[in-house]
Structure formats: structure tokens, C-alpha cells
Amino acid sequence: MNGLSVENLRVEIAGAGDRRFLPVDGVDFTVGADQCVALLGESGCGKSMTALALMRLLPEGGRVTAGEVNLQGDDLFALAESAMGGVRGGRLAMIFQEPQTSLNPVMSVAEQIGEALAAHRGLAGAVARAEAGRLLEAVGLQTDRLDAYPFQLSGGQRQRALIAMMLAGEPEVLIADEPTTALDVTVQAQILDLLKDLRSTRGMGLLLITHDLDVAREMTLGPNDRVAVMYAGQIVEWAPSAGLYAAPRHPYTQKLFAVLPRLDRRGERLDSLPGKVPAPDAVFAGCRFAERCPAVFQRCRVEIPGFHEVVPGHFARCHLAEAAANPSLSPYGGFGKGEIEGIPGRVEVVAAANPTQTPISPNGGVTKEGSEPSVLEISDLAVHFPIRKGLLKRTVGHVKAVDGVSLAVAAGETLALVGESGCGKTTLARAVLRLIEPSSGTVRLCGESLAGLKGEALRRKRAQMQIVFQDPFSSLNPRMRVGDILEEGMAALLPELDRIGRAHRAADLLDQVGLPTDAAGRYPHEFSGGQRQRIAIARALAVNPKLLILDEPTSALDVSVQAQILNLLADLRREHGLAYLFISHNLSVVGYLADRVAVMREGRILECGSAEQIFNRPAIDYTRLLLDSAPGQV
């Protein structure tokens, strides 16, 4: 065929002893010229392992045990490694999720693109440099970036440089593995538009790996584009984007859509997807999704479903799809209709009272008559970093990271802080916590100014304000058990609790965040990403704070786990009257969770209002730009 063809791909990874893992188990799909196929699913479904198998870059112990991969008719698995080296990075190229780890930190952009040009096109010297400059311009970078090193580039610029490097070999098919996950919405939109343009102008096939349903839809709008939904090593649904998003046929796909946060779901509890993706060494007698499926019945547990064409071009691996494809057949087979088993502990979508929208003053302060004093009040806060030059390092200017910000957050309220990377959101949060000293302005917590507090007084005050970071794995001590992590803050800030009291409180906290009490004796690496984030939230709650600063707490999580964390945050806010300062670039999450939204740019608050007002009636062009840049419907 003209493009990439994958048939019955099966990958095995050797584990300890006789254990064998099957992260990819019988995958079929095609990627044609100028076609985008989005491979969609949760972490652990086998998406990235599929891509690594296509590139023949499997980790140690991994091997392809079955299947064929053909690129323009050439069997890639039959090629010698020397021949495959000419294909890899040339005819078949791959963009990885984090460009910082994919680019060599001690080589300039020109040198790295030059290596690819020399390897795949035999170019060197001035000719190679000229071609490298042309490639940079093609991805929207100026040629003066040729001599820059990766650390001198922003996240979006690094991703563009990596794309230029991958284009050097003139690929027939480009694999993009989560290319926009770490980018804010405006840069994400630029990278997605760039990939669309390159695909169209070069006639290049694109295999996009993502867990973001909105990104997948944005990239598969063409009539020949397809979305492949992957679960537990298999593709469970394959369809044109329009058909899949209008009427998903597999229960797994339906649940992925049901857990998405949106502005119109404010006040509702998000649906949940219980359990997790089965381990790659799991053995299945029936459907792989049966243990998590809300529509499971007896046949699902004992008979493997086929891949059925429900409507032309739309396939689903489900017994219910078999009946939809052939109405004369019963999905229950010879087992009788019976009743749908359901899932124990499944959380239904229930309506909740809509949070009261609080009128705001122009500076973002709470003005609701008769309300209690704000938990957090920020007035004209500034954080300026000196610019020093010369031998004596004299100060020649200042970087105004935060420049005159005034905000307030009331008890039980969520104020979201949005804006592009580098606008000052995290610096503002650190200044509120006094992790860095403000240059000017005041911060009041529960009516008391933090200015001038030092030593023990500041340490005691910090019990009332805690932070949850984006990556819980790097913020939890890997050498401490979870129980010790939770008790560490109590020992420092709650001296009235003895050892037994701290242990009891730790058990209560684990129960509050939905973790078993035996989690206290385990280490962070023994938990999933969502569970680690629950531990981080429990640690923040351990000292009875009034304010939680949440810095991108769900950006690294799958949509199913994200829904669980958002439900948890909503429950905790309601039960404890917590105030949240919520920092995020995910506008769908902000629209769902936040009561008010503050839009930040270059250290200043440009606009602040209710979530409904900001999303439906933005007052400034920059806010409209952010909203327009977000893929899908916010």
C-alpha cells in the first residue's frame, strides 16, 4: 500500500522469572499518505509500545513475536539493522513527548539537524546549514535559532526544532507521541496547526498518539482520517472522527467521553471509570474491558468479542457491536439475556447544587455582601528579579515576573489562574507561600498579613496554606513510606498529636482521598499516577489548611483519572470549606471546576470574572485567543 500498514502486531517483553508481558496483542491499522490516524487511550493501553515496535526501538527484553509492518511495501521487520538505520529517522520518523530529553543538550540546533541531513540525505557543510535553515523556517522558527542550544529555547521552540530534525529525512510517515502534552494552549494550537500543514504540503502520513480526546478530534477532521481507540493492547474501536465523536460504539470509548470535564457540566459530578487498565501479563477469557464495563453481561466474561463493522467504516470490538451490525443476532449468544451485571461501586453522574457565583470588583476581590472575610487576599503584589551584567554583576534592570497583582479567594471558592507558560502564575503562587520574597505588595491569609513573619511564626502560618504540585512522583520522597509522608507535616505543625494520633489521622486522610489504609506502609513507586496525586492531596490536607494552591494537579493524568481527582477536589472543597487557587492551562478543567477565573499575562491580571463570564463573554482579545486556541469545546 501507499503508506504504513500494520497487521497483527504482537509485542512480548520478558519479565522476572518466567513472566511474559504482552503490551501489544494483535494490532492492525493503516496510515496512508496525507492521512492522520489518532491512536487514543489511557496510559498503559500499549500506544507508545506500538510506536516503538514500528521503529524497532523496543526496550531491553522486548521483541516482536508476530505481525508485519510494511512501509510503502517494504517489510520493516525483515530488514537488517543497518538497513533499518536508514529508514529510522528517515522514511519513518518519530517525535517524542518531551523534546528536552530527545535533543542533545551540548549540541546546537544546526548540528543536530545536520546529523540527520548527513545520515539520510548525504548533505554536509554550507549546503547542510542552508537546508537546516530552510527546515527551521518550515516549522516557524527564525534561522538565527540555528546556533542556539536546547536550553536557550522555550518548550514550544524545542518541539519545533525536534520536528525540523525529524523532517530532515523527508519521512513518508511521521509518528507523534503526545507532542503537545506539556505545552500551554496557544503553543499547543501552533504545533497542531504546524503538523496539519506539514502533512498536507508534504503528503506525509501522520500517526498521532494521544490521551486527549479534543486533540484527537482536532487532528482528524479530514474525510480519510481515522481514530483508533486502544485498550489493553488491542484496538477496540476504529472509525472516522465524525462518526466516533457523534456516536461512539464501544463502552470504553463511551466512558472516555463521559468523564470529560466541560463548562456545561459545572455543578455535576463527573462520571467515573472504575479500576485501571489490566496489566500486560493479564490473561483474558473474554472481553478485556469486562471488569470495568457498565454494560457487562455473562458472555463478555467467557467469550472474546470480534471486531464488527457497525456502520460502514466504523468498527468496534464488542458483543453489543455484533448485534448492531447484524440485528438478527443476539449479543447475549447462547447465555440468555439476563440482566446487565453492572460494576460494584460505580459512581453515577448526579446533579449537585450550582456553586454561587460571587460578584467581583475590578481587582478580583470578593465583594459579596455579608460574606466572611476572604481566606486569601493579595494586594498589588510584585516579584521582580534583578538582571545583572558585567564583571561586578551590577543590576542593570529587572524582570517583572509578577507586576502589581490583586486577587482574593473566599472559603469554599475556586479561583483559577490561567495564562501561557512564563506569564508568572507559578511565581505568584510561590510568593503567596513565601517560598520567594515579594518585592512589594501584601498577602493576607485569614485576615493576617504574612509580611514580616519569620522563623516559627511563618512556619506555623504555613499550616494554613499548602500546595499540590503537578508531578506527584517528584514531590513525594521515594525513600519514605506513605504513612511517614503524611505524618511528617503533622509532627512539625500539629504538636498536639502524639504518634498514635498521627497514625489515626493518616488513616482517616487515606480514606478521605479514596485509598486503602494499608497504603500507609507502601512507597510512592508502588502506586499509579492518580494514586500518587491522591497521596499528595492527603499530605496537603494533613495539617488542616484553609487554602490549597493546586499547580497543574491533573495535567499529567489520563482523562479517567483526571475525573476522579476533580471529583475528589470538589468533595473536599464542599466538606472542608477549602479555598483553592487553581493554576492550569487546561481550559476545560478550569471551566468545570472554577467559580472565578483570572487571566494572567506578563505578570499582570488582564481580566477576572466568573467562569461563565470569562468563557462566554470575554472582555479582552487575549482571553479570546486563549479560548480559541483550546482544541474542542470548552
Side-chain angles (χ1 to χ4, degrees), residues 132-151:
R134 189 185 69 81
L135 288 169
L136 276 193
E137 290 178 338
V139 299
L141 286 179
Q142 299 296 319
T143 55
D144 61 5
R145 299 282 82 190
L146 279 172
D147 295 317
Y149 289 86
F151 75 90

Side-chain angles (χ1 to χ4, degrees), residues 1 34 39 66 68 93 99 140 172 174 176 192 203 242 247-248 282 365 420 442 551 572 600 603 609 612:
M1 66 159 287
D34 192 21
L39 198 55
E68 292 185 1
E172 296 155 19
L174 180 66
L192 294 181
E420 297 174 278
T442 60
D551 192 357
L572 293 171
M600 194 168 185
E612 190 276 336

Side-chain angles (χ1 to χ4, degrees), residues 339-488:
E339 293 184 356
I340 292 176
E341 297 177 19
I343 298 293
R346 178 169 174 249
V347 179
E348 301 291 345
V349 178
V350 295
N354 288 326
T356 302
Q357 298 296 337
T358 305
I360 60 165
S361 63
N363 72 351
V366 176
T367 60
K368 182 179 178 182
E369 187 176 353
S371 65
E372 295 181 0
S374 298
V375 172
L376 175 67
E377 295 177 85
I378 304 169
S379 179
D380 203 26
L381 189 69
V383 180
H384 297 171
F385 296 108
I387 302 172
R388 294 186 171 93
K389 289 185 178 181
L391 183 63
L392 300 178
K393 300 298 181 183
R394 291 191 176 93
T395 299
V396 297
H398 288 85
V399 175
K400 298 180 179 180
V402 178
D403 193 20
V405 168
S406 298
L407 291 170
V409 191
E413 181 187 39
T414 298
L415 173 65
L417 198 57
V418 302
E420 297 174 278
S421 297
C423 71
K425 303 187 299 295
T426 299
T427 301
L428 175 63
R430 290 169 62 85
V432 168
L433 294 167
R434 287 279 304 275
L435 297 177
I436 56 177
E437 290 297 324
S439 304
S440 62
T442 60
V443 177
R444 301 182 71 85
L445 187 66
C446 300
E448 181 181 353
S449 174
L450 301 184
L453 292 182
K454 295 181 180 179
E456 181 65 17
L458 178 60
R459 189 168 66 88
R460 304 294 301 179
K461 196 65 178 176
R462 279 185 173 143
Q464 296 180 333
M465 52 182 181
Q466 292 289 300
I467 186 168
V468 177
F469 295 97
Q470 177 176 349
D471 180 9
F473 191 72
S474 61
S475 62
L476 297 174
N477 191 326
R479 296 180 177 86
M480 293 177 66
R481 289 183 172 88
V482 168
D484 296 330
I485 290 172
L486 299 185
E487 292 181 34
E488 185 179 32

